[in-house]
Amino acid sequence: MKFSVDKSLSFEQAVKIMFEKLGDWKIMALASSKDDYVMVRNVSCLFYDERIYFKTDREFRKTQQLFANPHVALCWSGVQVEGLAHNKGLVVDEPDRRFEKLYKQFLWGSYNKYSHEETEIIIEVEPKFVEIWDTSEDNYAYQIFIDFDKRSVEVKQYDHE
């Protein structure tokens, strides 16, 4: 069996693969919990500065959960991200308004409906551990595990003849 993915990826190469897969934006499933009560819902995410960003109303249940327990997981297709959620403040108070500009560019429908609220905050997710499932050129499944704290990468072949 020929395996076409380089098993000696550097941390930087693996992070690049992750963000290339995610692109500029995605609708991701966000899981959060408080007192062992787990919730999952979709959020509209933007990706820049090796972080994941989404906005939410500071009064929503999910936001209250994030304030109580910042440990979250996000998933889109074969990319699962475990990380810490940080409140970056009101969308309208961001100094360079980068999030707002990108949200308007990539998620116009949502921007037009919800971005004018005075209670909308930006949540930044700092990745801690990422698992990527993919298939090589030779159609063999593999996983890439990225540990952001250790700055380490493991590539595991899943399929075996």
Side-chain angles (χ1 to χ4, degrees):
M1 170 169 67
K2 181 180 174 215
F3 188 66
S4 62
V5 175
D6 184 358
K7 292 184 180 181
S8 61
L9 288 174
S10 70
F11 174 79
E12 291 77 14
Q13 290 170 318
V15 170
K16 183 178 179 193
I17 288 170
M18 171 191 152
F19 283 106
E20 283 175 352
K21 286 188 171 302
L22 292 172
D24 295 313
W25 70 275
K26 292 287 182 280
I27 306 297
M28 298 185 82
L30 168 71
S32 59
S33 71
K34 178 183 174 194
D35 300 326
D36 291 330
Y37 185 83
V38 179
M39 291 173 39
V40 66
R41 83 292 285 152
N42 289 327
V43 289
S44 302
C45 297
L46 297 170
F47 312 104
Y48 54 92
D49 297 337
E50 295 190 356
R51 297 285 196 267
I52 300 168
Y53 298 88
F54 62 91
K55 71 179 186 68
T56 186
D57 190 293
R58 66 179 171 214
E59 304 302 323
F60 285 172
R61 285 188 321 145
K62 75 176 165 205
T63 312
Q64 297 308 307
Q65 242 184 359
L66 296 175
F67 291 161
N69 179 4
H71 296 272
V72 298
L74 290 152
C75 188
W76 173 81
S77 191
V79 180
Q80 180 192 308
V81 179
E82 300 164 22
L84 291 175
H86 305 284
N87 176 3
K88 302 308 277 184
L90 292 173
V91 172
V92 295
D93 289 343
E94 185 184 27
D96 62 1
R97 298 188 87 149
R98 184 174 181 190
F99 178 89
E100 182 180 27
K101 291 171 190 169
L102 291 171
Y103 204 85
K104 186 176 181 180
Q105 178 183 351
F106 295 114
L107 296 153
W108 170 250
S110 181
Y111 172 84
N112 196 36
K113 289 180 188 172
Y114 307 113
S115 285
H116 312 293
E117 300 293 325
E118 293 299 318
T119 55
E120 293 288 312
I121 60 172
I122 300 170
I123 300 294
E124 174 191 82
V125 176
E126 172 190 4
K128 291 295 187 177
F129 191 85
V130 173
E131 181 176 336
I132 301 170
W133 277 89
D134 208 344
T135 307
S136 71
E137 297 167 7
D138 316 21
N139 210 30
Y140 291 104
Y142 65 93
Q143 298 163 283
I144 301 173
F145 299 96
I146 309 170
D147 187 318
F148 280 72
D149 289 336
K150 294 179 182 174
R151 296 185 60 82
S152 66
V153 177
E154 180 184 6
V155 178
K156 265 188 165 175
Q157 184 174 328
Y158 181 74
D159 287 328
H160 299 281
E161 288 186 295

